[in-house]
Amino acid sequence: MSKRNKISIEDSRLFRENIGQVKPVKQDHIAPFRKPPSPRPRPVEHFISDIIQDRFSDEYEPADAHPNELWFSRTGIQHNTLRRLKSGRFNNTATLDLHGLTVPDARQTLLEFLNHCYRLELRFIRIIHGKGHHSHNGQAKLKHKVDNWLRQCHEVLAFCSTDRAHGGTGAVNVLLRTR
């Protein structure tokens, strides 16, 4: 049995008499199909360290800074994300080691590293600042400077000291904003 119903000759003749002459309609108002244009590459952003550097102030001292463990998050970051960041469950895509650098050198290196990671859209990074055991007064200058600088950087959404296996209070895992 066919899906199409067979039309009798009589029905076909009757249809043609009622319809009359048929002529094709010209379709000039519908545009033909065109392949959409390929996406344009995003323009390469210029080096933005000057913008970030202007935000870094050495006089800034956060009220909620803890002497040993570093922890910071912007509004809207979920607690589960912070827990995963602390435990290192995110794959860190880049690591910066600031051991042995002076404060001005560490500042410049950190700026360049953040800019590099931000341009490459790396989200999870690790910064090793050390615990300050070999510093002049036994105080971790770089640790407190890194804490202050990261809090001032708009591109940093959250950071926290790593777990013991990844450096403990001598390193921080950082969550960066995407562009």
Side-chain angles (χ1 to χ4, degrees), residues 91-142:
N91 288 333
N92 291 312
T93 51
T95 302
L96 173 67
D97 191 350
L98 298 175
H99 278 108
L101 296 179
T102 63
V103 172
D105 290 342
R107 177 182 176 144
Q108 188 60 37
T109 304
L110 179 62
L111 286 171
E112 291 172 4
F113 180 70
L114 289 174
N115 283 314
H116 178 74
C117 293
Y118 186 68
R119 275 184 289 167
L120 294 178
E121 296 186 6
L122 303 178
R123 298 261 349 250
F124 308 103
I125 60 174
R126 181 172 294 140
I127 299 170
I128 303 169
H129 48 70
K131 298 182 181 181
H133 293 309
H134 300 291
S135 61
H136 186 56
N137 296 336
Q139 293 186 359
K141 280 187 180 179
L142 280 183

Short mmCIF file of all heavy atoms in Angstrom, two decimals, residues 91-142:
data_model
loop_
_atom_site.label_atom_id
_atom_site.label_comp_id
_atom_site.label_asym_id
_atom_site.label_seq_id
_atom_site.Cartn_x
_atom_site.Cartn_y
_atom_site.Cartn_z
N ASN A 91 43.66 22.53 37.88
CA ASN A 91 44.98 22.37 37.29
C ASN A 91 45.59 23.75 37.11
O ASN A 91 45.07 24.56 36.34
CB ASN A 91 44.89 21.67 35.93
CG ASN A 91 44.56 20.21 36.09
OD1 ASN A 91 44.86 19.61 37.11
ND2 ASN A 91 43.94 19.64 35.08
N ASN A 92 46.65 24.02 37.84
CA ASN A 92 47.33 25.30 37.67
C ASN A 92 48.02 25.29 36.32
O ASN A 92 48.77 24.39 36.00
CB ASN A 92 48.34 25.52 38.80
CG ASN A 92 47.65 25.76 40.11
OD1 ASN A 92 46.74 26.56 40.20
ND2 ASN A 92 48.06 25.04 41.14
N THR A 93 47.76 26.31 35.55
CA THR A 93 48.29 26.36 34.20
C THR A 93 49.61 27.11 34.13
O THR A 93 50.30 27.02 33.13
CB THR A 93 47.27 27.02 33.26
OG1 THR A 93 46.84 28.26 33.84
CG2 THR A 93 46.07 26.13 33.07
N ALA A 94 49.97 27.85 35.18
CA ALA A 94 51.24 28.56 35.20
C ALA A 94 51.65 28.77 36.65
O ALA A 94 50.81 28.92 37.54
CB ALA A 94 51.11 29.89 34.49
N THR A 95 52.95 28.81 36.87
CA THR A 95 53.49 29.02 38.21
C THR A 95 54.59 30.06 38.15
O THR A 95 55.39 30.07 37.23
CB THR A 95 54.05 27.70 38.78
OG1 THR A 95 53.01 26.73 38.80
CG2 THR A 95 54.58 27.88 40.18
N LEU A 96 54.59 30.95 39.15
CA LEU A 96 55.63 31.98 39.27
C LEU A 96 56.32 31.79 40.60
O LEU A 96 55.67 31.73 41.64
CB LEU A 96 55.01 33.38 39.18
CG LEU A 96 55.95 34.55 39.45
CD1 LEU A 96 57.00 34.66 38.36
CD2 LEU A 96 55.16 35.84 39.56
N ASP A 97 57.64 31.74 40.58
CA ASP A 97 58.43 31.60 41.80
C ASP A 97 59.17 32.91 42.04
O ASP A 97 60.00 33.33 41.24
CB ASP A 97 59.42 30.45 41.65
CG ASP A 97 60.09 30.08 42.97
OD1 ASP A 97 59.93 30.84 43.96
OD2 ASP A 97 60.75 29.04 43.02
N LEU A 98 58.88 33.56 43.17
CA LEU A 98 59.48 34.85 43.50
C LEU A 98 60.62 34.73 44.51
O LEU A 98 61.12 35.74 44.99
CB LEU A 98 58.40 35.79 44.06
CG LEU A 98 57.25 36.14 43.11
CD1 LEU A 98 56.20 36.97 43.84
CD2 LEU A 98 57.76 36.87 41.89
N HIS A 99 61.03 33.52 44.84
CA HIS A 99 62.11 33.32 45.81
C HIS A 99 63.35 34.12 45.42
O HIS A 99 63.77 34.11 44.27
CB HIS A 99 62.51 31.84 45.90
CG HIS A 99 61.62 31.04 46.77
ND1 HIS A 99 60.74 30.14 46.27
CD2 HIS A 99 61.50 31.00 48.11
CE1 HIS A 99 60.09 29.55 47.26
NE2 HIS A 99 60.54 30.07 48.39
N GLY A 100 63.93 34.79 46.39
CA GLY A 100 65.20 35.47 46.19
C GLY A 100 65.12 36.80 45.50
O GLY A 100 66.15 37.44 45.27
N LEU A 101 63.92 37.27 45.11
CA LEU A 101 63.80 38.56 44.44
C LEU A 101 63.62 39.68 45.46
O LEU A 101 63.04 39.48 46.52
CB LEU A 101 62.60 38.56 43.48
CG LEU A 101 62.66 37.59 42.30
CD1 LEU A 101 61.39 37.71 41.48
CD2 LEU A 101 63.88 37.86 41.44
N THR A 102 64.10 40.86 45.11
CA THR A 102 63.83 42.03 45.94
C THR A 102 62.38 42.45 45.72
O THR A 102 61.74 42.02 44.75
CB THR A 102 64.77 43.19 45.56
OG1 THR A 102 64.51 43.56 44.21
CG2 THR A 102 66.23 42.79 45.73
N VAL A 103 61.87 43.32 46.57
CA VAL A 103 60.47 43.76 46.46
C VAL A 103 60.21 44.43 45.11
O VAL A 103 59.24 44.11 44.43
CB VAL A 103 60.08 44.66 47.65
CG1 VAL A 103 58.71 45.28 47.43
CG2 VAL A 103 60.08 43.85 48.94
N PRO A 104 61.06 45.39 44.65
CA PRO A 104 60.79 46.01 43.34
C PRO A 104 60.86 45.00 42.19
O PRO A 104 60.03 45.04 41.28
CB PRO A 104 61.89 47.06 43.19
CG PRO A 104 62.37 47.33 44.56
CD PRO A 104 62.18 46.07 45.32
N ASP A 105 61.81 44.07 42.24
CA ASP A 105 61.90 43.06 41.19
C ASP A 105 60.70 42.12 41.23
O ASP A 105 60.17 41.73 40.19
CB ASP A 105 63.19 42.25 41.33
CG ASP A 105 64.43 43.06 40.99
OD1 ASP A 105 64.29 44.11 40.33
OD2 ASP A 105 65.54 42.65 41.39
N ALA A 106 60.28 41.75 42.42
CA ALA A 106 59.12 40.87 42.56
C ALA A 106 57.86 41.56 42.05
O ALA A 106 57.03 40.93 41.39
CB ALA A 106 58.94 40.47 44.02
N ARG A 107 57.75 42.84 42.32
CA ARG A 107 56.57 43.60 41.85
C ARG A 107 56.51 43.60 40.34
O ARG A 107 55.47 43.32 39.74
CB ARG A 107 56.65 45.02 42.39
CG ARG A 107 55.53 45.91 41.92
CD ARG A 107 55.71 47.31 42.47
NE ARG A 107 54.70 48.19 41.94
CZ ARG A 107 54.15 49.16 42.62
NH1 ARG A 107 54.50 49.39 43.85
NH2 ARG A 107 53.23 49.91 42.06
N GLN A 108 57.62 43.91 39.68
CA GLN A 108 57.66 43.96 38.22
C GLN A 108 57.43 42.57 37.63
O GLN A 108 56.69 42.41 36.66
CB GLN A 108 58.99 44.53 37.73
CG GLN A 108 59.04 44.78 36.25
CD GLN A 108 57.98 45.77 35.78
OE1 GLN A 108 57.67 46.74 36.46
NE2 GLN A 108 57.41 45.50 34.63
N THR A 109 58.03 41.56 38.21
CA THR A 109 57.86 40.19 37.72
C THR A 109 56.42 39.74 37.87
O THR A 109 55.86 39.10 36.97
CB THR A 109 58.80 39.24 38.49
OG1 THR A 109 60.14 39.72 38.37
CG2 THR A 109 58.71 37.83 37.96
N LEU A 110 55.80 40.08 39.00
CA LEU A 110 54.40 39.71 39.22
C LEU A 110 53.50 40.41 38.21
O LEU A 110 52.59 39.79 37.66
CB LEU A 110 53.97 40.06 40.65
CG LEU A 110 52.52 39.76 41.01
CD1 LEU A 110 52.23 38.26 40.91
CD2 LEU A 110 52.20 40.27 42.40
N LEU A 111 53.75 41.68 37.94
CA LEU A 111 52.94 42.41 36.95
C LEU A 111 53.04 41.77 35.57
O LEU A 111 52.04 41.56 34.89
CB LEU A 111 53.41 43.86 36.88
CG LEU A 111 53.01 44.75 38.04
CD1 LEU A 111 53.72 46.09 37.95
CD2 LEU A 111 51.52 44.94 38.06
N GLU A 112 54.26 41.47 35.17
CA GLU A 112 54.45 40.85 33.86
C GLU A 112 53.78 39.48 33.80
O GLU A 112 53.16 39.11 32.80
CB GLU A 112 55.94 40.74 33.55
CG GLU A 112 56.60 42.07 33.30
CD GLU A 112 58.10 41.99 33.19
OE1 GLU A 112 58.66 40.86 33.23
OE2 GLU A 112 58.74 43.05 33.08
N PHE A 113 53.89 38.71 34.87
CA PHE A 113 53.28 37.38 34.93
C PHE A 113 51.76 37.47 34.87
O PHE A 113 51.12 36.74 34.11
CB PHE A 113 53.73 36.68 36.21
CG PHE A 113 53.16 35.29 36.38
CD1 PHE A 113 53.58 34.26 35.57
CD2 PHE A 113 52.24 35.03 37.37
CE1 PHE A 113 53.07 32.98 35.74
CE2 PHE A 113 51.73 33.76 37.55
CZ PHE A 113 52.14 32.72 36.72
N LEU A 114 51.16 38.38 35.63
CA LEU A 114 49.71 38.54 35.60
C LEU A 114 49.23 38.97 34.23
O LEU A 114 48.21 38.48 33.72
CB LEU A 114 49.26 39.54 36.67
CG LEU A 114 49.35 39.08 38.12
CD1 LEU A 114 49.01 40.22 39.07
CD2 LEU A 114 48.46 37.88 38.38
N ASN A 115 49.95 39.90 33.61
CA ASN A 115 49.58 40.33 32.26
C ASN A 115 49.67 39.19 31.26
O ASN A 115 48.78 39.02 30.43
CB ASN A 115 50.48 41.48 31.81
CG ASN A 115 50.09 42.78 32.45
OD1 ASN A 115 48.93 43.12 32.50
ND2 ASN A 115 51.07 43.50 32.96
N HIS A 116 50.72 38.43 31.35
CA HIS A 116 50.90 37.30 30.46
C HIS A 116 49.76 36.29 30.62
O HIS A 116 49.16 35.84 29.64
CB HIS A 116 52.26 36.65 30.74
CG HIS A 116 52.54 35.44 29.91
ND1 HIS A 116 52.85 35.51 28.58
CD2 HIS A 116 52.53 34.13 30.24
CE1 HIS A 116 53.01 34.28 28.12
NE2 HIS A 116 52.84 33.43 29.10
N CYS A 117 49.46 35.94 31.86
CA CYS A 117 48.38 34.97 32.14
C CYS A 117 47.02 35.51 31.71
O CYS A 117 46.19 34.78 31.17
CB CYS A 117 48.37 34.61 33.62
SG CYS A 117 49.83 33.69 34.14
N TYR A 118 46.80 36.79 31.94
CA TYR A 118 45.51 37.40 31.59
C TYR A 118 45.32 37.42 30.08
O TYR A 118 44.24 37.11 29.58
CB TYR A 118 45.45 38.81 32.17
CG TYR A 118 44.12 39.48 31.99
CD1 TYR A 118 42.99 39.01 32.66
CD2 TYR A 118 43.97 40.58 31.17
CE1 TYR A 118 41.76 39.62 32.50
CE2 TYR A 118 42.75 41.20 31.01
CZ TYR A 118 41.65 40.72 31.68
OH TYR A 118 40.43 41.32 31.51
N ARG A 119 46.38 37.75 29.33
CA ARG A 119 46.29 37.77 27.87
C ARG A 119 46.07 36.38 27.31
O ARG A 119 45.36 36.21 26.32
CB ARG A 119 47.54 38.38 27.26
CG ARG A 119 47.47 39.90 27.19
CD ARG A 119 48.68 40.43 26.50
NE ARG A 119 49.77 40.22 27.46
CZ ARG A 119 51.04 40.31 27.19
NH1 ARG A 119 51.42 40.61 26.00
NH2 ARG A 119 51.95 40.11 28.10
N LEU A 120 46.66 35.36 27.93
CA LEU A 120 46.49 33.98 27.46
C LEU A 120 45.22 33.34 28.02
O LEU A 120 44.96 32.17 27.75
CB LEU A 120 47.71 33.13 27.85
CG LEU A 120 49.01 33.52 27.16
CD1 LEU A 120 50.15 32.64 27.66
CD2 LEU A 120 48.88 33.41 25.65
N GLU A 121 44.48 34.09 28.82
CA GLU A 121 43.23 33.63 29.44
C GLU A 121 43.43 32.39 30.30
O GLU A 121 42.64 31.46 30.29
CB GLU A 121 42.16 33.41 28.38
CG GLU A 121 41.77 34.68 27.67
CD GLU A 121 40.61 34.52 26.71
OE1 GLU A 121 40.01 33.42 26.67
OE2 GLU A 121 40.31 35.48 26.01
N LEU A 122 44.52 32.40 31.06
CA LEU A 122 44.75 31.34 32.04
C LEU A 122 43.96 31.69 33.29
O LEU A 122 44.02 32.81 33.77
CB LEU A 122 46.25 31.24 32.37
CG LEU A 122 47.17 31.00 31.19
CD1 LEU A 122 48.61 30.96 31.65
CD2 LEU A 122 46.81 29.72 30.45
N ARG A 123 43.20 30.77 33.81
CA ARG A 123 42.32 31.07 34.94
C ARG A 123 42.94 30.76 36.29
O ARG A 123 42.72 31.46 37.25
CB ARG A 123 41.02 30.26 34.83
CG ARG A 123 40.20 30.55 33.63
CD ARG A 123 39.04 31.48 33.75
NE ARG A 123 38.55 31.91 35.00
CZ ARG A 123 37.39 31.57 35.54
NH1 ARG A 123 36.63 30.71 34.96
NH2 ARG A 123 36.99 32.10 36.67
N PHE A 124 43.70 29.66 36.39
CA PHE A 124 44.22 29.20 37.68
C PHE A 124 45.74 29.18 37.63
O PHE A 124 46.33 28.47 36.84
CB PHE A 124 43.67 27.80 37.99
CG PHE A 124 42.18 27.75 37.88
CD1 PHE A 124 41.57 27.18 36.79
CD2 PHE A 124 41.39 28.31 38.86
CE1 PHE A 124 40.20 27.14 36.68
CE2 PHE A 124 40.02 28.29 38.76
CZ PHE A 124 39.42 27.71 37.67
N ILE A 125 46.34 29.99 38.50
CA ILE A 125 47.79 30.09 38.53
C ILE A 125 48.27 29.94 39.96
O ILE A 125 47.48 30.03 40.91
CB ILE A 125 48.29 31.42 37.93
CG1 ILE A 125 47.73 32.61 38.72
CG2 ILE A 125 47.92 31.52 36.47
CD1 ILE A 125 48.28 33.95 38.30
N ARG A 126 49.56 29.69 40.12
CA ARG A 126 50.16 29.58 41.45
C ARG A 126 51.33 30.55 41.53
O ARG A 126 52.13 30.65 40.60
CB ARG A 126 50.63 28.15 41.71
CG ARG A 126 51.23 28.00 43.09
CD ARG A 126 51.52 26.54 43.43
NE ARG A 126 50.25 25.84 43.53
CZ ARG A 126 50.03 24.62 43.08
NH1 ARG A 126 50.99 23.94 42.51
NH2 ARG A 126 48.86 24.04 43.21
N ILE A 127 51.40 31.26 42.65
CA ILE A 127 52.50 32.18 42.90
C ILE A 127 53.20 31.71 44.17
O ILE A 127 52.57 31.62 45.23
CB ILE A 127 52.00 33.63 43.04
CG1 ILE A 127 51.31 34.06 41.75
CG2 ILE A 127 53.16 34.56 43.38
CD1 ILE A 127 50.58 35.37 41.84
N ILE A 128 54.49 31.43 44.05
CA ILE A 128 55.28 31.00 45.20
C ILE A 128 56.05 32.21 45.71
O ILE A 128 56.90 32.75 45.00
CB ILE A 128 56.25 29.87 44.80
CG1 ILE A 128 55.45 28.70 44.21
CG2 ILE A 128 57.07 29.42 45.99
CD1 ILE A 128 56.31 27.65 43.55
N HIS A 129 55.71 32.66 46.90
CA HIS A 129 56.35 33.85 47.47
C HIS A 129 57.31 33.51 48.59
O HIS A 129 58.14 34.31 48.98
CB HIS A 129 55.31 34.85 47.96
CG HIS A 129 54.24 34.23 48.80
ND1 HIS A 129 54.47 33.76 50.07
CD2 HIS A 129 52.94 34.00 48.52
CE1 HIS A 129 53.35 33.27 50.55
NE2 HIS A 129 52.39 33.39 49.62
N GLY A 130 57.23 32.33 49.12
CA GLY A 130 58.11 31.90 50.21
C GLY A 130 57.53 32.26 51.57
O GLY A 130 56.57 33.02 51.68
N LYS A 131 58.15 31.73 52.60
CA LYS A 131 57.68 31.94 53.97
C LYS A 131 58.51 32.96 54.72
O LYS A 131 58.18 33.33 55.84
CB LYS A 131 57.67 30.62 54.73
CG LYS A 131 56.72 29.61 54.13
CD LYS A 131 56.70 28.33 54.93
CE LYS A 131 55.76 27.33 54.27
NZ LYS A 131 55.69 26.09 55.03
N GLY A 132 59.61 33.41 54.14
CA GLY A 132 60.42 34.45 54.77
C GLY A 132 61.40 33.94 55.80
O GLY A 132 61.91 34.72 56.60
N HIS A 133 61.70 32.65 55.80
CA HIS A 133 62.63 32.10 56.79
C HIS A 133 64.04 32.66 56.62
O HIS A 133 64.78 32.80 57.58
CB HIS A 133 62.68 30.57 56.70
CG HIS A 133 61.40 29.92 57.10
ND1 HIS A 133 60.74 30.19 58.28
CD2 HIS A 133 60.63 28.99 56.46
CE1 HIS A 133 59.65 29.46 58.37
NE2 HIS A 133 59.56 28.72 57.27
N HIS A 134 64.43 32.98 55.39
CA HIS A 134 65.79 33.46 55.13
C HIS A 134 65.84 34.97 54.92
O HIS A 134 66.86 35.49 54.47
CB HIS A 134 66.37 32.74 53.91
CG HIS A 134 66.44 31.26 54.08
ND1 HIS A 134 67.31 30.66 54.95
CD2 HIS A 134 65.73 30.26 53.49
CE1 HIS A 134 67.15 29.35 54.90
NE2 HIS A 134 66.19 29.08 54.03
N SER A 135 64.76 35.68 55.23
CA SER A 135 64.77 37.13 55.06
C SER A 135 65.52 37.79 56.21
O SER A 135 65.86 37.16 57.21
CB SER A 135 63.34 37.67 54.97
OG SER A 135 62.63 37.38 56.14
N HIS A 136 65.75 39.08 56.07
CA HIS A 136 66.60 39.82 57.01
C HIS A 136 66.11 39.71 58.46
O HIS A 136 66.87 39.37 59.35
CB HIS A 136 66.67 41.28 56.56
CG HIS A 136 67.62 42.11 57.35
ND1 HIS A 136 68.95 41.77 57.48
CD2 HIS A 136 67.44 43.25 58.05
CE1 HIS A 136 69.54 42.68 58.24
NE2 HIS A 136 68.65 43.59 58.58
N ASN A 137 64.85 39.98 58.70
CA ASN A 137 64.30 39.94 60.06
C ASN A 137 63.49 38.66 60.33
O ASN A 137 62.83 38.57 61.36
CB ASN A 137 63.40 41.14 60.32
CG ASN A 137 64.18 42.44 60.28
OD1 ASN A 137 65.39 42.44 60.50
ND2 ASN A 137 63.50 43.52 59.98
N GLY A 138 63.50 37.75 59.39
CA GLY A 138 62.70 36.54 59.55
C GLY A 138 61.23 36.78 59.23
O GLY A 138 60.40 35.93 59.49
N GLN A 139 60.92 37.96 58.68
CA GLN A 139 59.54 38.27 58.30
C GLN A 139 59.39 38.09 56.80
O GLN A 139 60.29 38.41 56.03
CB GLN A 139 59.18 39.70 58.69
CG GLN A 139 59.12 39.93 60.17
CD GLN A 139 58.62 41.32 60.49
OE1 GLN A 139 58.33 42.10 59.61
NE2 GLN A 139 58.51 41.62 61.77
N ALA A 140 58.24 37.63 56.40
CA ALA A 140 57.97 37.37 54.99
C ALA A 140 57.50 38.65 54.31
O ALA A 140 56.30 38.91 54.22
CB ALA A 140 56.93 36.27 54.85
N LYS A 141 58.44 39.46 53.83
CA LYS A 141 58.08 40.71 53.16
C LYS A 141 57.31 40.44 51.87
O LYS A 141 56.29 41.06 51.61
CB LYS A 141 59.33 41.53 52.84
CG LYS A 141 59.89 42.30 53.97
CD LYS A 141 61.01 43.18 53.47
CE LYS A 141 61.60 43.98 54.61
NZ LYS A 141 62.71 44.83 54.15
N LEU A 142 57.84 39.53 51.07
CA LEU A 142 57.19 39.25 49.79
C LEU A 142 55.79 38.69 49.98
O LEU A 142 54.89 38.99 49.20
CB LEU A 142 58.03 38.28 48.96
CG LEU A 142 59.22 38.86 48.21
CD1 LEU A 142 59.90 37.79 47.39
CD2 LEU A 142 58.80 40.01 47.33
#
